[in-house]
Amino acid sequence: MTQPASSIQSLADLKGRSFAFGDVNSTSGHLMPEYFLRQASVDPSVIAKAIYTGGHDATLLAVANGKVDAGALDEAVFQRLTTTGKVDPAKVRVFWTTPPFLDYIWVARKGLDTKVSGAVASAFLALNDSDPQQKQILDALSAKKYLAADDASYDKLRQAAEQAGLLR
């Protein structure tokens, strides 16, 4: 995102601009946005000179307050912060959104009784936002729904982590 009056309309417009990521260890605040910036051939100096704010909220505030020209953060966090009034939505503008990727994963420890892990998985997968009580649970978890994942679901994350030198 950027400020509403910014001339940034596309990733190519980031050249020569300041940019912020959230936490260096965040999937949606750093790893995947950087991966997609590289895939889109964004000027490497933008990424090399990027600052790390420490979190999604701090990145959004840095953009809204003009500390940086643009930044990346999780879409659900962006929506929550701008709809709850924590950040004035008139001070920020989304100019690009990453393609979807697997994020916010729930896992069970190895060796957990399959009846227990299966019941927990079924409960998450059955949550439906058309039911007011279940919608409250999904809202509390900043989710719209849960999907089952398999090993192939992690391919983009693995590729991003390998390119970032986090996996070998």
Side-chain angles (χ1 to χ4, degrees):
M1 86 243 105
T2 189
Q3 292 184 328
S6 170
S7 62
I8 298 172
Q9 299 296 324
S10 70
L11 295 178
D13 297 333
L14 291 174
K15 186 173 184 169
R17 306 297 187 102
S18 59
F19 193 85
F21 292 111
D23 188 306
V24 69
N25 296 311
S26 172
T27 303
S28 58
H30 172 241
L31 179 65
M32 295 309 290
E34 181 178 332
Y35 170 78
F36 288 117
L37 291 175
R38 289 185 191 285
Q39 292 294 304
S41 300
V42 167
D43 179 8
S45 68
V46 172
I47 297 166
K49 294 177 183 177
I51 65 163
Y52 293 90
T53 64
H56 300 285
D57 54 343
T59 300
L60 187 58
L61 285 169
V63 173
N65 295 327
K67 303 292 184 200
V68 292
D69 297 317
L73 74 144
D74 183 271
E75 184 176 12
V77 177
F78 176 86
Q79 293 300 326
R80 186 177 72 246
L81 294 173
T82 55
T83 58
T84 60
K86 304 250 184 205
V87 175
D88 183 352
K91 292 188 173 187
V92 289
R93 173 177 56 82
V94 175
F95 69 91
W96 191 76
T97 303
T98 68
F101 59 89
L102 190 66
D103 202 12
Y104 298 106
I105 304 157
W106 290 82
V107 297
R109 69 171 167 79
K110 185 176 181 177
L112 182 65
D113 184 325
T114 56
K115 288 180 184 175
V116 174
S117 62
V120 171
S122 293
F124 275 104
L125 294 170
L127 288 172
N128 184 330
D129 67 356
S130 65
D131 177 310
Q133 287 182 316
Q134 292 180 25
K135 184 171 180 1
Q136 287 182 336
I137 295 167
L138 288 165
D139 288 348
L141 297 168
S142 297
K144 294 190 187 312
K145 67 179 178 176
Y146 284 90
L147 304 169
D150 60 17
D151 189 62
S153 301
Y154 296 90
D155 287 348
K156 283 279 185 223
L157 289 170
R158 259 192 295 275
Q159 187 177 9
E162 286 169 359
Q163 287 182 6
L166 301 173
L167 294 177
R168 294 168 213 217

